Amino acid sequence: MKTEHPRVPTCTYRLQFNRWFTFAQAREIVPYLQALGVSDVYASPYFQAGANSLHGYDITDHNKLNAAIGSQADYDAWIAELHAHGMGQVLDFVPNHMGIAEPGNKWWADVLENGPSSMYAPYFDIDWRPLKSDLRDKVLLPILTDQYGRVLERGELQVHFEEGAFYLAYRNQKLPIAPGTYRFVLEMALENLAEYKDEEFYAEFQSILTALEYLPRRTETDPEKIAERAREKEIVKRRLERRCQEAPQVQRAIEKALAKINGRPGDPRSFDWLDELLNAQSYRLAFWRVAAEEINYRRFFDVNDLAAIRMELPEVFDAAHQLVVDLVRTGAVTGLRVDHPDGLYLPREYLDALQRRCAKMLGIPLPKDGRAVYMIAEKILTGAEKLRADWPLHGTTGYDFANQVAGVLVDASAEADATRTFHRFIGHTMHFGHLVYAKKRLVMRLALANEVEVLGNMLDRLSEKNRWYRDFTFEALARAVRETIACFPVYRTYLAPGQPVSDEDRQVIERAIAAAKRRNPAMEESIFNFLREILLFRFPENLDAQAREEHMHFVLKFQQFTGPIMAKGLEDTVFYIYNRLAALNEVGGEPQQFGLSVDAFHERNLDRHRTWPATLLATSTHDTKRSEDVRARMVAISEIPELWRRSLQRWRTANRRWKKIVNEAETPAPNEEYLLYQTLLGTWPIAGNGAPEQNVGPEYTQRIQAYMMKALNEAKLNTSWIQPNEQWLAATRDFVAKVLDPTPKNKFLPAFLPIAEEIARFGAINSLAQTLLKLTSPGVPDIYQGNETWDFSLVDPDNRRAVDYRLRAEMLSCLSSKTPEELLQNWPDGRIKMFLTQRALQFRNEQVDLFQRGNYLPLYATGAFADCSISFARQLDRDWAIVIVPRLSSRIGFPPIGERWKDTVIDVPENLSLERGREIFTGRELSIQNRQIRVAEALSGLPFAMVTNQ
């Protein structure tokens, strides 16, 4: 397949690869995806990762395909099938971190074996000189399920010998034993061989022990010593293996020594030898729940199994990108999605390097704009923040659009009622800004405590070099860091060496410092001023080169840490607490903003058209808190504020008897109950006739229970992942089961089902509206697997369930025989959403230039329901297409079609030629009189329309 670079997709389709969805299965659905109108597959990471990984972000080897997903032949066959259908592939690449829980990570295993002397030690972001002296030259490994001493004396830690090497076995993990410490075992084994002193193998065994004494220490960092150690330790292993093969007595002596060293449960002193051996390793084992304050390697957020790598080092970049750029060279990969760029030391420099490498591999000159291949990044934008214009990207992964399209469907006029109802139900007020501040501080105290400690220590060392600031205490400086990060309004800033500080970054830092001062009136203001000056690169003039480098390093490390703290505090905590309208609690969302005006939505689209016309447009992703269809339903709650208020009181009364008292409080708590009711409305199964199911069954109940367990632990109010409150969780599971019990004694369901029916109908209209907006707005629409029809999934792992592609292929093949009226009448079966998707994409593929280069013209309505529509035109020269969708459709009625719209009309601007107008979903010719389109005519058969002169 000949590809022009960069190849900008028409529409992407996200596939989640894992052992249950393989390359072979992906190959089977290529014809279906092409028939749907998809131009490019958007693949989750599929390089070598944990065998049971559902997501692929725990990569252990960047240069191997994941064997659990398929072989090289399977992969090649899939790529050949894509090319045969003219389709490309955008690959999700993970540069920030690697999975370290699996033995397949050779880099990490080498670090554990050799410590600072490992040739891969610089690859990982490890602090070998932490504040705790006991961790000097060690890596803290928080992998134990209990306190170290208990695990040790239960005999769960066992040293084994295999192929000339020793390793520590714990559960499913195999940790290498440092070669220099083999003598702990071998000296004991030598004693067991005393009767064989005259044998040749005995002298050879002694020679091996001598070689170990001369092995360079694991703390050596001289390159020659590192190379010598790497070479000699392998020679020792081969010699030891050969001795065991040639002299079984040696093997038996080692096994006898290990039996003694591994201890006997019930005899605590018998574990002293093993304890001594483990203390001599390059790692220190720890209980996973108590390690946050001392962990000394940078992680992806607070996930202990994901260790950050130093992609800013050329040798790391080269080592991690061999396979991916080769796939670009061969055309197997035609675009890249960069995961979590905010975790990188220098994000823009990384993106520049990646584009240059891709250009080199393709044998093409780097374009002036620096974009050799289609590339998007998972950058979370907050508030008025813009994607950096100097990044060589085509845009983001689309969270911004997902939040905007959800916001424009909210009835903003209901904000006061919604807020009042929420506060009354939970029994207190809740200020979003104060909540974010408090939860970011909570995260810094618990999950990411060491990261802040490291920054405080770095800042303390910098202050010691300045006579004006050396009197600041470590605690005061660490607190200034914590408070500033807690007040940070965005995920991070992007200062870089040798570059001037941008206005955006300066404003962010000034704003954060000012807010931190305001929240801490008792703190010495000059401490914050000192931090501000450093963060803005205003270093003292008398610094030497090394001191300037240390100041610069602090700023760059600070930037790496603010993002994870924002993500954990906001996305993974606040978004499970601030439940006023949970549909707005989405990645990159601002739930304190109750809706988005139509004018503001148009402004966002216009800005996207001007600056990032090829950015991705998402509505569901693998990371969203709920699917687009669940969100569309929950948004509809804003349209019925009074009914929602009355219903909540009835539901609470009906379900009060199912609550239990745990820790002197009713369980679930009011806020948890509030989230549950919204979740039920968003996900409730609907029968083919449009009525809600009376009996949802055990699978649905289990899904809701699992979701609530995750929501409660993430909220960290009454339970948490670190300290689960099993009684609280059990009581909540029981509550959900009782609430969903279909027996006559349940008084809740008769009161709930009529509201569920109402919300499902208007939620379906919202979903159809947001789908057409996504498929026609400036940008590249993305479909998350299975969401071409109704999908009512919640947060992962619920949204990783298998997709029935056979059913979807059958649905697609039968669409041509269905009339629009039949599709609307049978809307619960989801065919209407698939029909909209397929027809809109078919038109988009026929009119590629119109949607990639065409103007975006906001259109406005007049008449009885002028506020209830969103419309715009895409125009290129004389070609145009006008999009019309409903919003706030409860005001119009269900379905919002035909004369229900009364006198509502869309005004068509003068620069659109009006010789003819055809509605693409029905094929009908429309009459356009007085440069106006009657919405009743455009939406006469379906609750959405696209009118074109083509």
Side-chain angles (χ1 to χ4, degrees), residues 846-871:
E846 293 168 354
Q847 305 290 332
V848 172
D849 286 345
L850 175 63
F851 287 96
Q852 286 192 353
R853 299 193 296 112
N855 294 326
Y856 179 88
L857 307 174
L859 304 181
Y860 296 95
T862 57
F865 295 111
D867 292 340
C868 296
S869 72
I870 306 169
S871 55

Side-chain angles (χ1 to χ4, degrees), residues 823-861:
L823 292 170
L824 181 57
Q825 184 177 1
N826 297 295
W827 65 267
D829 65 18
R831 294 175 196 269
I832 190 170
K833 186 180 181 185
M834 180 178 281
F835 167 79
L836 184 161
T837 301
Q838 191 268 339
R839 286 292 175 88
L841 287 179
Q842 180 183 9
F843 182 73
R844 187 175 178 122
N845 284 315
E846 293 168 354
Q847 305 290 332
V848 172
D849 286 345
L850 175 63
F851 287 96
Q852 286 192 353
R853 299 193 296 112
N855 294 326
Y856 179 88
L857 307 174
L859 304 181
Y860 296 95

Side-chain angles (χ1 to χ4, degrees), residues 207-470:
S207 175
I208 291 173
L209 276 167
T210 302
L212 287 173
E213 290 180 15
Y214 287 96
L215 189 70
R217 293 174 301 170
R218 62 177 178 80
T219 55
E220 288 283 1
T221 55
D222 177 79
E224 290 186 4
K225 292 291 187 181
I226 290 175
E228 180 185 345
R229 178 184 172 89
R231 180 182 67 249
E232 295 300 321
K233 71 181 178 66
E234 295 306 315
I235 292 174
V236 167
K237 292 176 186 177
R238 289 196 294 271
R239 290 176 66 190
L240 194 53
E241 182 181 17
R242 190 164 59 247
R243 282 301 98 211
C244 290
Q245 291 172 346
E246 296 175 357
Q249 301 94 322
V250 174
Q251 178 76 33
R252 288 195 295 271
I254 290 174
E255 290 173 354
K256 184 177 178 181
L258 286 178
K260 186 175 183 180
I261 287 173
N262 282 328
R264 298 178 303 278
D267 182 3
R269 299 263 57 97
S270 69
F271 291 96
D272 289 353
W273 288 295
L274 180 56
D275 184 37
E276 184 180 359
L277 174 61
L278 296 182
N279 285 334
Q281 301 309 306
S282 298
Y283 49 83
R284 175 177 171 140
L285 301 175
F287 183 24
W288 74 270
R289 286 185 183 171
V290 299
E293 293 182 10
E294 295 180 352
I295 198 162
N296 62 330
Y297 61 90
R298 188 167 62 87
R299 302 162 290 172
F300 171 72
F301 295 174
D302 62 343
V303 183
N304 296 334
D305 291 343
L306 298 178
I309 52 178
R310 299 178 64 197
M311 197 55 76
E312 67 272 15
L313 300 180
E315 60 268 33
V316 180
F317 182 92
D318 291 342
H321 288 81
Q322 294 171 17
L323 178 55
V324 69
V325 296
D326 190 60
L327 294 177
V328 171
R329 178 188 63 80
T330 62
V333 168
T334 54
L336 291 168
R337 182 251 200 204
V338 176
D339 181 66
H340 190 48
D342 277 355
L344 300 173
Y345 196 64
L346 295 166
R348 197 201 77 184
E349 285 73 2
Y350 168 77
L351 298 171
D352 284 338
L354 185 53
Q355 287 284 14
R356 286 196 303 271
R357 186 63 56 87
C358 287
K360 180 180 178 181
M361 296 299 289
L362 290 167
I364 62 174
L366 185 69
K368 289 182 179 180
D369 64 4
R371 301 185 296 184
V373 298
Y374 181 74
M375 192 180 295
I376 52 175
E378 187 207 23
K379 169 59 193 160
I380 313 301
L381 302 169
T382 59
E385 185 184 11
K386 305 284 188 183
L387 184 62
R388 298 300 165 114
D390 59 349
W391 286 13
L393 294 171
H394 289 84
T396 72
T397 52
Y399 296 125
D400 41 353
F401 179 81
N403 285 292
Q404 291 159 15
V405 77
V408 78
L409 297 174
V410 170
D411 188 346
S413 68
E415 179 174 11
D417 288 337
T419 304
R420 189 161 46 248
T421 297
F422 176 49
H423 289 166
R424 285 179 178 173
F425 193 91
I426 66 175
H428 59 85
T429 61
M430 188 178 289
H431 185 279
F432 183 79
H434 296 338
L435 188 62
V436 173
Y437 168 77
K439 297 311 172 184
K440 288 174 73 175
R441 291 185 66 198
L442 175 71
V443 164
M444 285 186 278
R445 192 171 72 248
L446 300 178
L448 296 169
N450 185 66
E451 284 77 353
V452 179
E453 191 88 351
V454 167
L455 290 175
N457 188 47
M458 292 173 70
L459 189 61
D460 184 46
R461 290 201 297 265
L462 297 183
S463 74
E464 289 294 331
K465 298 178 184 296
N466 192 313
R467 62 175 177 263
W468 290 95
Y469 302 114
R470 71 178 192 180

Side-chain angles (χ1 to χ4, degrees), residues 125-139:
D125 211 343
I126 300 169
D127 181 5
W128 297 106
R129 298 289 187 273
L131 291 175
K132 186 167 183 172
S133 59
D134 289 342
L135 282 172
R136 188 183 180 96
D137 295 321
K138 290 176 179 283
V139 176

Side-chain angles (χ1 to χ4, degrees), residues 120-176:
Y120 299 111
Y123 285 33
F124 294 94
D125 211 343
I126 300 169
D127 181 5
W128 297 106
R129 298 289 187 273
L131 291 175
K132 186 167 183 172
S133 59
D134 289 342
L135 282 172
R136 188 183 180 96
D137 295 321
K138 290 176 179 283
V139 176
L140 187 76
L141 280 189
I143 63 173
L144 303 181
T145 58
D146 202 346
Q147 301 287 346
Y148 166 74
R150 296 173 186 168
V151 173
L152 179 78
E153 294 180 12
R154 286 200 296 259
E156 295 177 22
L157 300 169
Q158 297 283 291
V159 178
H160 294 275
F161 179 67
E162 190 176 280
E163 298 179 348
F166 293 94
Y167 67 88
L168 179 70
Y170 176 66
R171 297 188 169 232
N172 64 339
Q173 301 222 39
K174 293 173 66 173
L175 305 177

